[in-house]
Structure formats: structure tokens, C-alpha cells
Amino acid sequence: MTTTRPSATALRTAALLVTAALTVTACGAGGAAPDTRDAGPAAASARIPTTDVVSGVREDPAAAALLPADVRARGTLALASSVGTPPGATYLPDGKTLAGQDIDFADAVGKVLGLKLTREVAGFEAILPALDSGKYDVGTGNFGVTDERRRILDFVTYVNDGQGFAARRDSPLKKVTTLTRLCGLTVATGAGTTFETTLEENKHRCADAGEQPYDVKTYADQGALWVSLQQGRSDVVMSTINGLRYAVQQQPGLRFLNEFKRLDVGFAFKKGTLLAPAFQAAVNRLKKDGTYDRILKKWGTTPSAIATSRISPPEIR
């Protein structure tokens, strides 16, 4: 399927709209608060932590030696980053500076491997096919590792996240243990995501149960997704566990419902990449030197820690 990638300006505007929506309160239940102690005045007001946890990372010669010779020689990699909402990746209030868990992990891995990352912002749904075409060497965007994706791409895991739900506080929906709990509702989710796939593949379950199917509304713009929920045009949002917890901690009138399914999250590569062993060694190096834990603490995602990085592991069932 052909997709049109939003312009960098459009993506930046969308991210800033979301940042503006996440400016309200300190954290509620459901996850650790992001560390904002060292944030500047503008960033602190938007609750986007800016603590530097990456600049002190040093190159690891053993990990760097695993890189293909041509990559070591040129010293650069083309990185595509999907920018949406915290804690994954967003813009600081200056509208130019990127921040997020995905940004920190990519930058830290680059330092371990002694590489300069040439980052380009791209739409989530455009990155995976662009990796296959060779436009980018690696992509980040909270990409869940699924068996379907593993058939066409390679992954190196760095956190565990997954699928969950959020709704307005006045919603009668308390928990989504099965997708038939969504029958008759309007569900908002991100375009081109595993959430969209899960919802579309299981929509028949409502008809099978003799109930009205749920309606799926997809958004490339995460700001529009949350506005649809706040304004009542959607009844429930399906998205990442970490992203939902962060959002409901910052936005009034919303609540996290529950985790639905856990997934490993990884750096994405073209199938058969020779970069995977080096990236795996780099993530494990970050775990060893403490940088890994510092990144998770900064973004309030410590429960998403993994024991060790793996290359394209089977989908968590």
C-alpha cells in the first residue's frame, strides 16, 4: 500500500499540539513520574523531561567491532524517527528539539558504536517500507515486534511495551479483557500500527457474538486522536501502554483502563541486516553501564525494562 508521508512541518505541528495537551498536572496512578528535575522552564511547563542521560556514554570498541566494515569506515547511519507523543518521541516547546525515550536510546546506541546518526523525521506508517527499500538503515517509533513484521524486517529489542486502552473518566467502560467489550463503540488508534491491525482483524467477533461491530477511526496525527476522545467523537483509545499512561497522567478527565497485550519493542531494520549484532551488543552495554536504567527512569518507564536485548524474538503471546 502506498502511503503519503506527512511533511516535517506538519509532524512538528502535530507533536506540539500534543505537547500543549500534556501540560496540566503531575502524575497519577499507573506508572512512575518522568524525571523533570533538570528541565528548563519551557520544557518543565510541558512536563517533558530534559535531563541529560546520554552525553556521558562512551564508545565500546567490542560492540563497534561488530559493525560491518563499510559502516565503520563511513561512521554514519541513516535513522528514521517517528515523532508522536511522550514518552516515545516528541518535540520540546521550541518546536525543533526532539526528546523521548526512543531518541535517547538511539543516541546512546550511536555513541556506544562510535557512529553519527543522521536523523530524519518520518511518519510511523512510512518508516517500515522505507527500511525495506534501503532509504534508511534503522528506524525507531516504538515498533512492536510481531511475527508478521519479523517475516519482512529484523528487530533489536530495547524495551517491552504493548497494547492498552484509555477512555474518558465518565465512560462506563472499566476494562477491556476481550475486544468484544468494544462492540458498538468508536475506537481511535494510530494509522499503520499493530493496534489498527489487531482491531481490524478482530472486528468480526462482534458480529459473531450477535452485537454491533465497533467502528475504528485511525489518525496519523496523535493530537487529533486525543482531541477526538476529549470531544466525544471517540469512546476509547487503543495505543501503547507507556504512551497511554503518560497521556492520562497529564490530561484531565481521562483514565488508563488496562494493559491488553505486551510486546517487545525494537530498533527496526531491513531483513537480513548485518547491523543487528552490533545494536544488540550496544543495548546490552547500556544495561551494564547503567545508562539503560537512567533512560527508563527519566521517562517513567522502568516497568518496561527487559533482561537482555534480543534479535527478532518471537512475538509475545
Side-chain angles (χ1 to χ4, degrees):
M1 180 179 68
T2 301
T3 57
T4 301
R5 195 180 74 193
S7 68
T9 300
L11 288 164
R12 185 179 295 110
T13 300
L16 287 173
L17 287 172
V18 177
T19 297
L22 302 181
T23 61
V24 186
T25 61
C27 299
D35 183 354
T36 60
R37 291 172 297 174
D38 297 333
S45 68
R47 297 292 188 268
I48 307 296
T50 57
T51 309
D52 179 8
V53 293
V54 173
S55 64
V57 175
R58 297 291 178 261
E59 181 177 347
D60 182 342
L66 297 174
L67 289 167
D70 62 325
V71 175
R72 292 202 308 273
R74 72 172 185 261
T76 63
L77 282 181
L79 167 69
S81 293
S82 173
V83 178
T85 59
T90 190
Y91 287 101
L92 292 182
D94 65 9
K96 299 181 293 184
T97 306
L98 290 172
Q101 179 175 266
D102 288 345
I103 305 302
D104 283 344
F105 271 118
D107 288 349
V109 165
K111 285 182 170 293
V112 171
L113 298 178
L115 296 174
K116 178 182 178 181
L117 301 179
T118 304
R119 179 180 279 113
E120 180 176 330
V121 174
F124 179 95
E125 70 278 10
I127 292 178
L128 298 186
L131 290 169
D132 188 56
S133 72
K135 181 176 182 179
Y136 304 117
D137 297 305
V138 57
T140 60
N142 207 75
F143 291 119
V145 182
T146 67
D147 290 337
E148 180 179 2
R149 285 177 174 169
R150 289 193 311 134
R151 286 194 287 269
I152 56 173
L153 295 162
D154 285 335
F155 296 89
V156 173
T157 61
Y158 57 94
V159 293
N160 175 273
D161 195 349
Q163 303 175 343
F165 294 93
R168 295 183 303 279
R169 288 196 178 276
D170 61 2
S171 172
L173 193 62
K174 303 302 180 185
K175 194 172 184 180
V176 181
T177 54
T178 175
L179 295 181
T180 55
R181 297 293 298 274
L182 303 174
C183 296
L185 302 179
T186 298
V187 187
T189 196
T193 62
T194 57
F195 320 116
E196 180 184 7
T197 300
T198 297
L199 289 167
E200 293 294 349
E201 288 182 348
N202 290 277
K203 188 180 286 188
H204 67 89
R205 295 182 182 276
C206 292
D208 294 347
E211 299 188 50
Q212 181 182 350
Y214 50 75
D215 183 27
V216 181
K217 298 293 187 184
T218 60
Y219 297 86
D221 177 348
Q222 289 292 302
L225 181 152
W226 287 110
V227 169
S228 77
L229 182 64
Q230 291 277 23
Q231 295 184 347
R233 289 182 280 110
S234 299
D235 300 300
V236 60
V237 167
M238 185 179 189
S239 190
T240 66
I241 294 167
N242 287 335
L244 291 172
R245 282 179 165 156
Y246 195 105
V248 302
Q249 288 166 357
Q250 305 296 331
Q251 297 188 69
L254 303 182
R255 57 188 170 86
F256 179 75
L257 296 181
N258 62 285
E259 296 183 7
F260 185 71
K261 179 181 179 180
R262 278 278 173 177
L263 283 173
D264 287 316
V265 170
F267 295 101
F269 306 86
K270 182 177 182 177
K271 190 70 177 176
T273 181
L274 299 178
L275 295 170
F279 269 69
Q280 180 189 34
V283 173
N284 287 330
R285 176 64 189 178
L286 294 174
K287 287 189 66 69
K288 185 176 181 181
D289 70 17
T291 302
Y292 183 92
D293 290 338
R294 286 190 287 274
I295 292 173
L296 295 188
K297 180 181 178 182
K298 172 182 176 179
W299 295 103
T301 55
T302 299
S304 284
I306 57 175
T308 188
S309 177
R310 295 191 293 168
I311 298 174
S312 297
E315 181 177 348
I316 296 174
R317 297 294 183 180

